[in-house]
Amino acid sequence: MCGIWALFGSDECLSVQCLSAMKIAHRGPDAFRFENVNGFTNCCFGFHRLAVVDQLYGMQPIRVKKFPYLWLCYNGEIYNFKQLQKQFGFEYQTLVDGEVILHLYNRGGIEQTASMLDGVFAFILLDTTNRKVFLARDTYGVRPLFKVLTDDGFLGVCSEAKGLINLKHSTSLCPKVEPFLPGHYEVLDLKPSGKVASVELVKFHSHKDEPLHTAFDTVENLPSGFDLETVKSNIRILFENAVRKRLMAHRRIGCLLSGKGGLDSSLVAAVLLKLMKEIDINYPLQTFAIGMENSPDLLAARKVAAHIGSEHHEVIFNSEEGIQAIEDVIFSLETYDITTVRASIGMYLVSKYIRKKTDSVVIFSGEGSDELTQGYIYFHKAPSPEEAAEESERLLKELYLFDVLRADRTTAAHGLELRVPFLDHRFTSYYLSLPAELRIPKNGIEKYLLRQSFEDSNLLPKEILWRPKEAFSDGIASVKKSWFSILQDYIDQQVDDLLLEKAAEKYPFNPPKTKESYYYRQIFEKHYPGRSSWLPHYWMPRWVKATDPSARTLKHYKSATQE
């Protein structure tokens, strides 16, 4: 996890522009480098480093003797760099997994490079010989990337939008900053002036397609067919493989146990601990849960930690601490989406604790499971298995705007690196290839197939494996009064009724419908005025008449006290 930043064709003094690069310093607390490009005085790279691999040669932009004309700035982890080295005979000069990008590009060009990478990544690759700039981002946008491109060819690229919004440029008062689309790469021509022109934007991978790099995976071909035992076995094999490949780190690994419903992060933690023992990692796994006093998530996490035998940390926060964090959270997130802000507060506070009180840096989490395995409660209302499958794909496609954005920014704000095995390319493409009727909720229980697959593994206690779903922002509160209702009571005092009545006039795009959303929007506009289009729409459940995105407002929701 790092912060990357680059400019091409800047009219302004680079020493002034580089102040913008400091806005993402939290992403790489270990080192910083700012480097001009030979022969292009108005082009430069900025890099904030979190040292997770190769402490000695891990600085960027990465340049190697073999390809002196290539410059690479990347944020991510490429899990199959050793398999690709073996397959193609690459000679690496560093221990940095990202170096493989240079060798793949030299061997087969940008399309093959992006398609062959098994991992999470956002990168800027410059080829000064062929005068080309390439941008690319992984399938689910687990690693963030934003860009700004003006009409006269000034290009700015950054891990977070906050590193681009204050850039100075002669012809544009407020250039449009936008997220770079996941699963795409872009080719740009670099002119002698340092300015660029976009040539093409290409989608290199769709989440339903088996990735090209499967051919070089450590797991051989799996048995085909959709009989239940085969499917369950394949799910277990691929999920375990997804966790195993993510163990690549020279820094301490930890795991969140405060994800939605407990199931997703609990499965990750249980498999993680099993594999750490197998490969003789000689420190205990630290697990982390956050909540208010006696919250359902804390109690469930305690059971899981006791069952798997992790070194467990509980972070207890009160409503005042949660409310005080809101502004920092919205600044970090760069969004005003209601459910994202709500769920981010707990994750932001637990990340802050991990950074201050422990030495865990690489943090595993359960993001992506709800979207992939139809874990949201409203999936019970899906009119048909086919429509449920379509909705699952839509949610995965938009993850970079919601849960993946939350998970990245809340952890990166405190210099932590997130790993999300549920979004493994091969695991997700397999799960999405299964017949639609296998993937729907059954017997009133969502994620039925996933739970069933691990039922006989003894990885988790039965009551956790089959625990009903909690929304993260609700699970961290006590059952009597959910975190979101505590928030709303506070906000009620902060936003006048008259302001809400006139909300649509003040904010015509995505107008706030509640005091809570008005409050978040106000804070967002303070930091990012006029940038509301970064959020195309609010996250809301489908097939139900919902005015609030919290699971607790849906009829299907049952707390433990009602059972």
Side-chain angles (χ1 to χ4, degrees):
M1 200 281 305
C2 300
I4 60 174
W5 182 88
L7 297 187
F8 297 91
S10 172
D11 294 341
E12 296 291 324
C13 169
L14 289 178
S15 58
V16 174
Q17 300 280 49
C18 81
L19 294 173
S20 284
M22 300 317 290
K23 292 280 183 66
I24 58 158
H26 52 271
R27 296 190 71 88
D30 295 330
F32 171 63
R33 180 186 280 177
F34 189 69
E35 193 168 330
N36 286 30
V37 178
N38 313 347
F40 294 91
T41 52
N42 57 1
C43 301
C44 62
F45 288 93
F47 178 67
H48 293 276
R49 181 170 190 223
L50 178 70
V52 173
V53 294
D54 198 344
Q55 310 287 345
L56 188 58
Y57 295 109
M59 271 311 275
Q60 297 187 33
I62 297 172
R63 303 183 67 204
V64 294
K65 282 179 189 163
K66 197 172 181 185
F67 316 118
Y69 50 90
L70 296 182
W71 304 61
L72 173 70
C73 228
Y74 100 109
N75 168 25
E77 297 80 50
I78 310 303
Y79 305 120
N80 63 344
F81 76 110
K82 286 184 177 165
Q83 288 97 289
L84 292 170
Q85 179 183 30
K86 202 169 146 191
Q87 179 68 29
F88 300 118
F90 295 150
E91 289 175 25
Y92 294 156
Q93 278 180 230
T94 71
L95 300 174
V96 179
D97 47 285
E99 188 189 329
V100 70
I101 294 168
L102 301 174
H103 296 267
L104 282 172
Y105 171 73
N106 178 66
R107 183 184 177 275
I110 189 63
E111 172 121 30
Q112 192 188 69
T113 302
S115 305
M116 285 285 192
L117 299 174
D118 182 8
V120 294
F121 56 86
F123 69 74
I124 308 153
L125 176 64
L126 168 64
D127 178 343
T128 52
T129 299
N130 294 301
R131 295 250 171 99
K132 291 273 190 266
V133 177
F134 303 98
L135 310 177
R137 190 176 180 192
D138 67 74
T139 305
Y140 294 107
V142 173
R143 290 291 174 261
L145 194 65
F146 285 81
K147 73 165 199 179
V148 58
L149 180 57
T150 64
D151 293 343
D152 68 334
F154 165 56
L155 173 70
V157 188
C158 189
S159 296
E160 297 181 21
K162 54 182 72 68
L164 299 175
I165 54 173
N166 295 320
L167 289 174
K168 305 282 182 284
H169 191 62
S170 54
T171 62
S172 187
L173 290 169
C174 189
K176 192 181 180 195
V177 175
E178 51 195 358
F180 189 82
L181 286 173
H184 285 70
Y185 67 80
E186 185 170 13
V187 183
L188 302 109
D189 280 334
L190 179 66
K191 297 171 182 175
S193 64
K195 299 271 200 275
V196 303
S198 181
V199 178
E200 58 176 347
L201 178 68
V202 178
K203 186 174 185 177
F204 66 84
H205 184 229
S206 176
H207 40 251
K208 278 178 86 171
D209 301 336
E210 186 171 69
L212 205 58
H213 55 69
T214 298
F216 317 118
D217 203 346
T218 46
V219 169
E220 301 299 315
N221 290 337
L222 294 165
S224 55
F226 296 130
D227 67 280
L228 194 56
E229 289 312 307
T230 301
V231 167
K232 280 161 42 177
S233 167
N234 287 349
I235 287 171
R236 284 193 303 273
I237 290 166
L238 288 177
F239 185 68
E240 197 167 296
N241 184 45
V243 176
R244 184 183 289 106
K245 66 177 80 160
R246 284 164 175 75
L247 287 169
M248 179 181 94
H250 295 167
R251 300 287 286 272
R252 185 167 184 162
I253 290 169
C255 188
L256 294 180
L257 268 185
S258 45
K260 301 169 185 169
L263 172 70
D264 311 328
S265 55
S266 302
L267 261 183
V268 172
V271 173
L272 180 56
L273 196 70
K274 173 179 174 251
L275 297 176
M276 282 169 74
K277 282 178 186 162
E278 282 175 19
I279 60 169
D280 289 331
I281 288 180
N282 58 5
Y283 56 78
L285 173 68
Q286 292 181 327
T287 51
F288 305 93
I290 186 161
M292 299 176 89
E293 209 82 58
N294 300 320
S295 70
D297 262 11
L298 278 185
L299 302 173
R302 209 175 292 161
K303 274 183 198 162
V304 175
H307 183 85
I308 65 175
S310 61
E311 180 196 301
H312 190 52
H313 296 243
E314 287 186 358
V315 184
I316 294 168
F317 78 102
N318 58 37
S319 49
E320 200 178 316
E321 288 170 297
I323 285 159
Q324 275 177 350
I326 294 172
E327 181 150 356
D328 288 345
V329 165
I330 290 172
F331 176 72
S332 295
L333 291 175
E334 304 172 334
T335 186
Y336 52 93
D337 177 62
I338 308 158
T339 191
T340 305
V341 173
R342 243 184 231 165
S344 294
I345 294 164
M347 202 159 176
Y348 182 88
L349 293 172
V350 79
S351 299
K352 188 177 182 178
Y353 170 91
I354 294 169
R355 184 74 196 171
K356 279 188 174 172
K357 308 275 189 186
T358 78
D359 57 348
S360 286
V361 175
V362 175
I363 306 298
F364 279 69
S365 188
E367 271 69 35
S369 172
D370 282 328
E371 291 76 9
L372 178 68
T373 66
Q374 303 185 13
Y376 292 113
I377 287 170
Y378 71 83
F379 273 99
H380 291 282
K381 310 279 186 193
S384 68
E386 289 69 34
E387 281 184 68
E390 273 173 38
E391 173 66 358
S392 180
E393 283 166 43
R394 180 188 73 84
L395 288 169
L396 286 166
K397 198 174 165 188
E398 292 189 345
L399 262 174
Y400 76 105
L401 297 166
F402 301 109
D403 273 25
V404 150
L405 179 149
R406 163 179 60 76
D408 173 82
R409 298 308 191 285
T410 54
T411 49
H414 301 289
L416 303 175
E417 176 172 296
L418 193 79
R419 304 235 167 138
V420 282
F422 274 107
L423 291 175
D424 182 78
H425 301 162
R426 193 163 172 206
F427 179 70
T428 54
S429 66
Y430 175 74
Y431 206 96
L432 293 171
S433 75
L434 300 172
E437 58 275 9
L438 266 186
R439 293 182 270 147
I440 55 169
K442 286 190 176 63
N443 306 334
I445 299 170
E446 60 287 334
K447 296 189 225 185
Y448 195 85
L449 178 61
L450 181 68
R451 296 175 201 265
Q452 225 183 353
S453 300
F454 286 93
E455 192 169 28
D456 301 324
S457 66
N458 197 35
L459 282 168
L460 290 174
K462 290 275 191 285
E463 69 267 28
I464 296 293
L465 191 62
W466 294 97
R467 179 187 175 209
K469 173 165 183 56
E470 285 268 10
F472 185 30
S473 49
D474 300 340
I476 59 174
S478 62
V479 173
K480 290 174 190 129
K481 193 162 191 186
S482 82
W483 163 230
F484 97 82
S485 62
I486 292 167
L487 258 181
Q488 285 172 330
D489 288 350
Y490 166 78
I491 289 164
D492 234 16
Q493 310 301 310
Q494 310 301 311
V495 178
D496 194 81
D497 292 352
L498 198 62
L499 284 175
L500 188 61
E501 276 172 38
K502 298 194 169 174
E505 288 169 42
K506 191 172 183 184
Y507 305 122
F509 182 76
N510 279 342
K513 298 276 198 322
T514 63
K515 285 189 177 184
E516 187 187 4
S517 58
Y518 190 96
Y519 185 69
Y520 298 159
R521 182 65 168 272
Q522 253 182 333
I523 296 171
F524 174 85
E525 295 287 345
K526 175 181 156 186
H527 293 288
Y528 307 110
R531 309 282 184 175
S532 59
S533 63
W534 290 345
L535 176 69
H537 61 86
Y538 291 108
W539 192 98
M540 276 293 192
R542 300 282 291 270
W543 309 305
V544 286
K545 287 193 175 106
T547 51
D548 190 284
S550 171
R552 287 192 179 218
T553 61
L554 302 183
K555 276 183 187 154
H556 190 85
Y557 175 83
K558 286 191 302 193
S559 75
T561 55
Q562 293 171 288
E563 286 171 2

Coordinates of all heavy atoms in Angstrom, one line a residue, residues 241-293:
N241 N -6.7 -20.8 -1.4 CA -5.7 -20.3 -2.3 C -5.6 -18.8 -2.3 O -4.5 -18.2 -2.3 CB -6.0 -20.9 -3.7 CG -4.9 -20.5 -4.7 OD1 -3.7 -20.7 -4.4 ND2 -5.2 -20.0 -5.9
A242 N -6.8 -18.2 -2.3 CA -6.9 -16.7 -2.3 C -6.2 -16.1 -1.0 O -5.5 -15.1 -1.1 CB -8.3 -16.2 -2.3
V243 N -6.4 -16.8 0.1 CA -5.8 -16.3 1.4 C -4.3 -16.6 1.3 O -3.4 -15.7 1.7 CB -6.4 -17.0 2.6 CG1 -5.7 -16.5 3.9 CG2 -7.9 -16.6 2.7
R244 N -3.9 -17.8 0.9 CA -2.5 -18.2 0.9 C -1.6 -17.2 0.1 O -0.6 -16.8 0.5 CB -2.4 -19.6 0.3 CG -0.9 -20.2 0.4 CD -0.8 -21.5 -0.2 NE -1.4 -22.6 0.6 CZ -2.5 -23.2 0.3 NH1 -3.2 -22.9 -0.8 NH2 -3.0 -24.1 1.0
K245 N -2.1 -16.9 -1.1 CA -1.2 -16.0 -2.0 C -1.1 -14.6 -1.4 O -0.1 -13.9 -1.7 CB -1.8 -16.0 -3.4 CG -3.1 -15.3 -3.6 CD -3.6 -15.2 -5.0 CE -4.1 -16.5 -5.6 NZ -5.0 -16.3 -6.8
R246 N -2.0 -14.2 -0.5 CA -1.9 -12.9 0.1 C -1.1 -12.8 1.4 O -1.0 -11.8 2.0 CB -3.4 -12.4 0.4 CG -4.1 -11.9 -0.9 CD -5.6 -11.8 -0.7 NE -6.1 -11.2 -2.0 CZ -6.3 -11.9 -3.1 NH1 -6.0 -13.2 -3.1 NH2 -6.8 -11.3 -4.2
L247 N -0.4 -14.0 1.7 CA 0.5 -14.0 2.9 C 1.8 -13.3 2.6 O 2.7 -13.2 3.4 CB 0.7 -15.4 3.3 CG -0.5 -16.1 4.0 CD1 -0.2 -17.6 4.2 CD2 -0.7 -15.5 5.4
M248 N 2.0 -12.9 1.3 CA 3.3 -12.3 0.9 C 3.5 -11.0 1.6 O 2.9 -10.0 1.3 CB 3.1 -12.1 -0.7 CG 4.3 -11.5 -1.4 SD 3.8 -11.3 -3.1 CE 3.1 -9.7 -3.2
A249 N 4.4 -11.0 2.6 CA 4.7 -9.7 3.3 C 5.9 -9.9 4.1 O 6.2 -10.9 4.7 CB 3.5 -9.3 4.2
H250 N 6.7 -8.8 4.3 CA 7.8 -8.7 5.2 C 7.5 -8.0 6.5 O 8.3 -7.7 7.3 CB 9.1 -8.1 4.5 CG 9.6 -8.8 3.4 ND1 10.5 -8.3 2.5 CD2 9.3 -10.1 2.9 CE1 10.8 -9.2 1.5 NE2 10.1 -10.2 1.8
R251 N 6.2 -7.6 6.6 CA 5.7 -6.9 7.8 C 4.6 -7.8 8.5 O 4.1 -8.7 7.8 CB 5.1 -5.5 7.4 CG 6.1 -4.6 6.8 CD 7.2 -4.0 7.7 NE 6.6 -3.0 8.6 CZ 6.6 -1.7 8.3 NH1 7.0 -1.2 7.1 NH2 6.1 -0.8 9.2
R252 N 4.3 -7.5 9.7 CA 3.4 -8.3 10.5 C 2.0 -8.3 9.9 O 1.5 -7.2 9.5 CB 3.4 -7.8 11.9 CG 2.5 -8.7 12.8 CD 2.7 -8.5 14.3 NE 1.9 -9.5 15.0 CZ 2.1 -9.7 16.3 NH1 3.1 -9.1 16.9 NH2 1.4 -10.6 16.9
I253 N 1.4 -9.4 9.9 CA 0.0 -9.6 9.3 C -1.0 -9.6 10.5 O -0.8 -10.2 11.5 CB -0.1 -10.9 8.6 CG1 0.7 -10.8 7.2 CG2 -1.5 -11.3 8.2 CD1 0.9 -12.1 6.5
G254 N -2.1 -8.9 10.3 CA -3.2 -8.9 11.3 C -4.5 -9.1 10.5 O -4.5 -9.2 9.3
C255 N -5.6 -9.2 11.3 CA -6.9 -9.4 10.6 C -8.1 -8.7 11.3 O -8.1 -8.8 12.6 CB -7.2 -10.9 10.5 SG -8.7 -11.3 9.5
L256 N -8.9 -8.1 10.6 CA -10.1 -7.5 11.2 C -11.1 -8.5 11.5 O -11.4 -9.4 10.7 CB -10.7 -6.4 10.3 CG -9.9 -5.2 10.0 CD1 -10.6 -4.2 9.1 CD2 -9.5 -4.4 11.3
L257 N -11.8 -8.5 12.6 CA -12.9 -9.4 13.0 C -14.1 -8.6 13.2 O -15.0 -9.0 13.9 CB -12.6 -10.2 14.2 CG -11.9 -11.5 14.0 CD1 -11.7 -12.2 15.3 CD2 -12.6 -12.4 13.0
S258 N -14.2 -7.4 12.6 CA -15.4 -6.6 12.8 C -16.2 -6.4 11.5 O -16.8 -5.4 11.4 CB -15.0 -5.3 13.5 OG -13.9 -4.7 12.8
G259 N -16.0 -7.2 10.6 CA -16.7 -7.1 9.3 C -18.2 -7.4 9.5 O -18.7 -7.8 10.5
K260 N -19.0 -7.2 8.5 CA -20.4 -7.3 8.5 C -20.8 -8.8 8.9 O -20.4 -9.7 8.2 CB -21.0 -7.0 7.2 CG -20.7 -5.5 6.8 CD -21.1 -5.3 5.4 CE -20.7 -4.0 4.9 NZ -20.8 -3.8 3.5
G261 N -21.6 -8.9 9.9 CA -22.2 -10.2 10.3 C -21.2 -11.1 10.9 O -21.6 -12.2 11.4
G262 N -19.9 -10.8 10.9 CA -18.9 -11.7 11.5 C -18.5 -12.8 10.6 O -17.3 -13.2 10.7
L263 N -19.3 -13.3 9.7 CA -19.0 -14.5 8.9 C -17.8 -14.2 8.0 O -16.8 -15.0 8.0 CB -20.2 -14.9 8.1 CG -19.9 -16.0 7.1 CD1 -19.6 -17.3 7.8 CD2 -21.0 -16.2 6.1
D264 N -17.8 -13.2 7.2 CA -16.8 -12.9 6.2 C -15.4 -12.8 6.8 O -14.5 -13.5 6.4 CB -17.1 -11.7 5.4 CG -18.6 -11.7 4.9 OD1 -19.1 -12.8 4.7 OD2 -19.2 -10.6 4.8
S265 N -15.3 -11.9 7.7 CA -13.9 -11.7 8.3 C -13.5 -12.9 9.2 O -12.3 -13.2 9.3 CB -13.9 -10.4 9.1 OG -14.9 -10.3 10.1
S266 N -14.5 -13.5 9.8 CA -14.2 -14.7 10.6 C -13.6 -15.8 9.8 O -12.7 -16.5 10.2 CB -15.5 -15.2 11.3 OG -16.0 -14.2 12.1
L267 N -14.2 -16.0 8.6 CA -13.7 -17.1 7.7 C -12.3 -16.7 7.2 O -11.4 -17.6 7.2 CB -14.6 -17.2 6.4 CG -15.6 -18.3 6.3 CD1 -16.4 -18.2 5.0 CD2 -15.0 -19.6 6.6
V268 N -12.1 -15.5 6.9 CA -10.8 -15.0 6.5 C -9.8 -15.3 7.6 O -8.7 -15.9 7.4 CB -10.7 -13.5 6.1 CG1 -9.3 -13.0 5.9 CG2 -11.6 -13.2 4.9
A269 N -10.1 -14.9 8.8 CA -9.2 -15.1 10.0 C -8.9 -16.5 10.3 O -7.7 -16.9 10.5 CB -9.8 -14.4 11.2
A270 N -9.9 -17.4 10.2 CA -9.8 -18.8 10.5 C -8.8 -19.5 9.5 O -7.9 -20.2 9.8 CB -11.1 -19.5 10.5
V271 N -9.0 -19.2 8.2 CA -8.2 -19.7 7.1 C -6.8 -19.2 7.2 O -5.8 -19.9 7.1 CB -8.8 -19.5 5.7 CG1 -7.9 -19.9 4.6 CG2 -10.1 -20.2 5.6
L272 N -6.7 -17.9 7.5 CA -5.4 -17.2 7.6 C -4.6 -17.8 8.7 O -3.4 -18.1 8.5 CB -5.7 -15.7 8.0 CG -4.5 -14.8 8.2 CD1 -3.6 -14.8 6.9 CD2 -5.0 -13.4 8.4
L273 N -5.2 -18.1 9.9 CA -4.4 -18.6 11.0 C -4.0 -20.1 10.7 O -2.8 -20.4 11.0 CB -5.3 -18.6 12.3 CG -4.5 -18.8 13.6 CD1 -3.7 -17.6 13.9 CD2 -5.4 -19.1 14.7
K274 N -4.8 -20.8 10.1 CA -4.5 -22.2 9.7 C -3.3 -22.2 8.7 O -2.3 -23.0 8.9 CB -5.7 -22.8 9.0 CG -5.5 -24.2 8.3 CD -6.8 -24.7 7.7 CE -6.5 -25.9 6.9 NZ -6.6 -25.8 5.5
L275 N -3.3 -21.3 7.8 CA -2.2 -21.2 6.8 C -0.9 -20.7 7.4 O 0.2 -21.1 7.1 CB -2.6 -20.4 5.6 CG -3.7 -21.0 4.7 CD1 -4.1 -20.0 3.6 CD2 -3.4 -22.3 4.2
M276 N -1.0 -19.7 8.3 CA 0.2 -19.2 9.0 C 0.9 -20.3 9.8 O 2.1 -20.3 9.8 CB -0.2 -18.0 9.9 CG -0.5 -16.7 9.1 SD -1.3 -15.4 10.2 CE 0.1 -14.9 11.2
K277 N 0.1 -21.2 10.4 CA 0.7 -22.3 11.1 C 1.4 -23.2 10.2 O 2.5 -23.7 10.5 CB -0.4 -23.0 11.9 CG -0.8 -22.4 13.2 CD -1.9 -23.1 13.9 CE -2.5 -22.4 15.1 NZ -3.8 -22.9 15.5
E278 N 0.8 -23.5 9.0 CA 1.4 -24.4 8.0 C 2.7 -23.9 7.5 O 3.6 -24.7 7.2 CB 0.4 -24.6 6.9 CG -0.7 -25.5 7.2 CD -1.8 -25.6 6.0 OE1 -1.4 -25.3 4.9 OE2 -2.9 -26.1 6.3
I279 N 2.9 -22.6 7.4 CA 4.1 -22.1 6.8 C 5.1 -21.5 7.9 O 6.0 -20.8 7.6 CB 3.9 -21.0 5.7 CG1 3.2 -19.8 6.2 CG2 3.2 -21.7 4.5 CD1 3.1 -18.7 5.2
D280 N 4.7 -21.9 9.1 CA 5.6 -21.5 10.3 C 5.9 -20.1 10.4 O 7.0 -19.6 10.6 CB 7.0 -22.3 10.2 CG 6.8 -23.8 10.4 OD1 5.9 -24.1 11.2 OD2 7.6 -24.6 9.9
I281 N 4.8 -19.2 10.3 CA 5.0 -17.8 10.7 C 5.0 -17.8 12.2 O 4.1 -18.3 12.9 CB 3.9 -17.0 10.1 CG1 4.0 -16.8 8.6 CG2 3.8 -15.6 10.7 CD1 3.0 -16.0 7.8
N282 N 6.1 -17.2 12.7 CA 6.4 -17.5 14.2 C 5.9 -16.4 15.1 O 6.4 -16.2 16.2 CB 7.9 -17.7 14.4 CG 8.7 -16.5 13.9 OD1 8.1 -15.5 13.5 ND2 10.0 -16.6 14.0
Y283 N 4.8 -15.7 14.7 CA 4.2 -14.7 15.7 C 2.7 -15.0 15.7 O 2.2 -15.5 14.7 CB 4.5 -13.3 15.3 CG 4.1 -12.9 13.9 CD1 2.8 -12.6 13.5 CD2 5.1 -12.8 12.9 CE1 2.4 -12.3 12.2 CE2 4.7 -12.4 11.6 CZ 3.4 -12.1 11.3 OH 3.0 -11.8 10.0
P284 N 2.0 -14.7 16.8 CA 0.6 -14.9 16.8 C -0.2 -14.0 15.9 O 0.3 -12.8 15.7 CB 0.2 -14.7 18.3 CG 1.3 -13.9 18.9 CD 2.6 -14.1 18.1
L285 N -1.3 -14.4 15.4 CA -2.1 -13.6 14.5 C -2.9 -12.6 15.5 O -3.5 -13.1 16.4 CB -3.1 -14.4 13.7 CG -4.1 -13.6 12.9 CD1 -3.5 -12.8 11.8 CD2 -5.2 -14.5 12.4
Q286 N -2.7 -11.3 15.2 CA -3.5 -10.3 16.0 C -4.8 -10.1 15.2 O -4.8 -9.9 14.0 CB -2.8 -9.0 16.1 CG -1.5 -9.1 17.0 CD -0.8 -7.8 17.1 OE1 -0.8 -7.0 16.1 NE2 -0.2 -7.5 18.2
T287 N -5.9 -10.3 16.0 CA -7.2 -10.0 15.4 C -7.8 -8.7 16.1 O -7.5 -8.5 17.3 CB -8.2 -11.2 15.5 OG1 -8.2 -11.6 16.8 CG2 -7.8 -12.3 14.5
F288 N -8.7 -8.0 15.4 CA -9.2 -6.7 15.9 C -10.7 -6.6 15.7 O -11.2 -6.9 14.6 CB -8.5 -5.5 15.2 CG -7.0 -5.6 15.3 CD1 -6.2 -6.2 14.3 CD2 -6.3 -5.1 16.4 CE1 -4.9 -6.3 14.3 CE2 -4.9 -5.1 16.5 CZ -4.2 -5.7 15.4
A289 N -11.4 -6.2 16.7 CA -12.8 -6.0 16.6 C -13.1 -4.6 17.3 O -12.5 -4.2 18.2 CB -13.6 -7.1 17.3
I290 N -14.1 -3.9 16.7 CA -14.5 -2.6 17.3 C -16.0 -2.6 17.5 O -16.7 -3.2 16.8 CB -14.1 -1.4 16.3 CG1 -14.4 -0.1 17.0 CG2 -14.8 -1.5 15.0 CD1 -13.7 1.1 16.5
G291 N -16.3 -1.9 18.6 CA -17.8 -1.8 18.8 C -18.0 -0.9 20.1 O -17.1 -0.5 20.8
M292 N -19.3 -0.6 20.3 CA -19.7 0.1 21.5 C -19.8 -1.0 22.5 O -19.9 -2.2 22.2 CB -21.0 0.8 21.3 CG -20.8 1.9 20.2 SD -22.3 2.8 19.8 CE -22.2 4.1 20.9
E293 N -19.9 -0.7 23.8 CA -20.0 -1.7 24.9 C -21.1 -2.7 24.6 O -22.2 -2.3 24.2 CB -20.4 -0.9 26.1 CG -20.0 -1.6 27.4 CD -18.5 -1.3 27.8 OE1 -18.1 -0.1 27.9 OE2 -17.8 -2.2 27.8

